[in-house]
Amino acid sequence: MRLSYPTNIKIIKVPCTGRVDILFILKAFENGADGVCLIGCLEGECRFLTGNIRAKKRVEYIKSLLEETGIGAERVAMYNISAADGRRFAEIAREMTEKIKALGPNPAKKQVE
Amino acid sequence: MIVANRKPFEEIMEMLKPYKKILLLGCNECVTVCSVGGAKEVAVLASEIRLSRLKNRIPVEIKEHTLERQCDPEYALSISSFVNDYEIIISMACGCGVQTIAETYREKYVVPAVNTTFMGSSEEHGVWREKCQGCGNCILDKTLGICPVTRCAKSILNGPCGGSQGGSCEINKDTPCAWQLIIDRLKQMNMMEKYLEIQPVKDWSTSRDGGPRTRIREDLRI
């Protein structure tokens, strides 16, 4: 397919989006990530039945935490796509990068001395 | 178990405002089970505080620590070796835990991170409901395991009242009428004769009305 997507994205592999803990995302922001995007399987097609549904609920909760800390809820997002849909993945990667670029850097990013 | 709710983040940050070295203390008992103040919630709150401070460029050092039980002086003493390294202790335990820590470390400012709410049980994952008020004189034998003191909005002992409609309480249709539940259960158990016993006026002196309560077992004292 020779698809390209922005190079500033770091991909972290997990067995299922259901494995993604609230702390994983908070730590990502503490370590300077500008945005976090969870990409799970399509709803109803989770290998572990409800992993992606649980991740969706967790993302909603994390949004409330990011909002109260002043980092901003819009810096985290969840998408559901098929593992075979590379085209859509590249599209989401571009979409998310543009959205985060428009928001600017993570306000909690440690400043270089 | 004792059920609590985390205080709003803004309120927590206001309490911590003047401090840079913070000891964030969790509890492995009730507040862990109701997912508000265990090791996991300590880690989440610590991360939130750090993020907020990073954003506002105010330095902070947080020590995350969770005690087996905060409401017990023996466990409270286990942090004595490092408690003085911190300017403030913020406790994620119930009010009993906060007070035990404050009594143990009298020179320390101890603040609560949660609002202790009620004594309840888990109905399902993520749902807790108030079940007991600790009135000091249990009548669950007469009401077949359903407490009208707690679960009836009026705490009436000879119910239901006129506000019981279609099995719900008049205060909120999502609150079941405790007396409807009791009658249903009495019928199911074929024990309706218990319903005919008129309950006398309750002596509330065993409850909070009698002032703070103390229980002493002399044989256990050292």
Side-chain angles (χ1 to χ4, degrees):
Chain A
M1 279 192 281
R2 301 243 170 235
L3 297 166
S4 65
Y5 63 89
T7 51
N8 56 355
I9 290 179
K10 182 173 171 63
I11 295 182
I12 297 171
K13 286 193 262 183
V14 284
C16 170
T17 45
R19 174 66 185 94
V20 180
D21 192 280
I22 293 164
L23 275 172
F24 291 4
I25 296 181
L26 288 177
K27 293 279 178 198
F29 284 105
E30 270 195 68
N31 289 319
D34 296 316
V36 175
C37 179
L38 259 77
I39 302 183
C41 299
L42 292 168
E43 286 188 13
E45 290 184 13
C46 175
R47 188 182 171 84
F48 306 102
L49 306 176
T50 55
N52 51 2
I53 307 289
R54 301 183 78 175
K56 185 183 173 183
K57 287 185 188 172
R58 247 171 253 162
V59 166
E60 285 312 307
Y61 183 66
I62 293 159
K63 279 175 185 263
S64 70
L65 299 184
L66 291 174
E67 200 55 35
E68 64 187 12
T69 49
I71 303 301
E74 61 281 13
R75 289 184 184 274
V76 65
M78 178 157 182
Y79 291 91
N80 298 85
I81 58 171
S82 155
D85 199 349
R87 196 174 297 277
R88 180 72 187 127
F89 170 78
E91 234 173 67
I92 289 170
R94 283 193 292 269
E95 205 176 290
M96 189 71 189
T97 309
E98 275 163 30
K99 188 174 139 191
I100 301 300
K101 263 191 183 154
L103 288 171
N106 169 2
K109 198 178 285 225
K110 284 173 191 146
Q111 278 171 333
V112 181
E113 298 295 323
Chain B
M1 89 193 82
I2 292 176
V3 181
N5 275 322
R6 210 196 71 187
K7 280 185 175 289
F9 189 67
E10 256 177 47
E11 189 182 338
I12 293 174
M13 291 313 281
E14 192 56 36
M15 290 189 286
L16 300 177
K17 210 174 185 174
Y19 306 99
K20 290 189 173 67
K21 295 187 90 180
I22 298 164
L23 173 56
L24 180 51
L25 215 51
C27 177
N28 262 341
E29 295 278 349
C30 314
V31 287
T32 293
V33 186
C34 71
S35 302
V36 74
K40 174 73 183 288
E41 292 75 28
V42 164
V44 170
L45 180 59
S47 181
E48 280 194 83
I49 297 169
R50 278 192 297 266
L51 278 171
S52 173
R53 286 285 179 98
L54 275 167
K55 180 181 181 249
N56 298 308
R57 310 284 172 224
I58 305 165
V60 69
E61 183 194 328
I62 305 174
K63 162 102 173 157
E64 301 168 31
H65 191 82
T66 302
L67 292 181
E68 205 46 48
R69 191 158 61 238
Q70 277 193 35
C71 58
D72 195 324
E74 278 181 51
Y75 290 112
L77 282 169
S78 70
I79 56 169
S80 60
S81 61
F82 57 83
V83 81
N84 284 325
D85 298 340
Y86 299 91
E87 299 164 328
I88 187 170
I89 304 173
I90 177 156
S91 163
M92 296 199 85
C94 71
C96 311
V98 179
Q99 291 182 63
T100 307
I101 298 297
E103 279 162 21
T104 311
Y105 302 103
R106 292 195 162 272
E107 71 290 0
K108 285 280 159 210
Y109 185 34
V110 184
V111 296
V114 305
N115 291 323
T116 307
T117 317
F118 57 79
M119 273 192 275
S121 63
S122 335
E123 232 159 57
E124 56 176 283
H125 257 294
V127 179
W128 298 273
R129 214 177 284 277
E130 186 168 19
K131 293 284 168 69
C132 179
Q133 270 189 23
C135 72
N137 192 4
C138 192
I139 54 158
L140 286 171
D141 56 319
K142 297 182 178 68
T143 57
L144 301 197
I146 296 150
C147 177
V149 176
T150 315
R151 296 170 68 183
C152 165
K154 294 175 176 170
S155 295
I156 53 176
L157 300 182
N158 297 287
C161 73
S164 174
Q165 282 172 13
S168 295
C169 175
E170 64 184 340
I171 60 156
N172 180 340
K173 68 174 171 43
D174 298 326
T175 303
C177 167
W179 273 101
Q180 183 68 57
L181 296 176
I182 293 167
I183 291 166
D184 291 347
R185 183 121 169 87
L186 284 165
K187 279 185 187 161
Q188 178 218 327
M189 298 285 287
N190 218 8
M191 291 166 88
M192 271 303 274
E193 71 280 358
K194 280 194 181 287
Y195 184 58
L196 300 176
E197 293 169 22
I198 305 292
Q199 296 305 315
V201 174
K202 191 172 170 69
D203 174 8
W204 291 99
S205 67
T206 55
S207 185
R208 277 283 307 148
D209 304 47
R213 294 162 283 180
T214 306
R215 177 176 178 245
I216 299 170
R217 245 188 77 175
E218 282 300 341
D219 61 315
L220 293 178
R221 300 180 90 180
I222 298 166

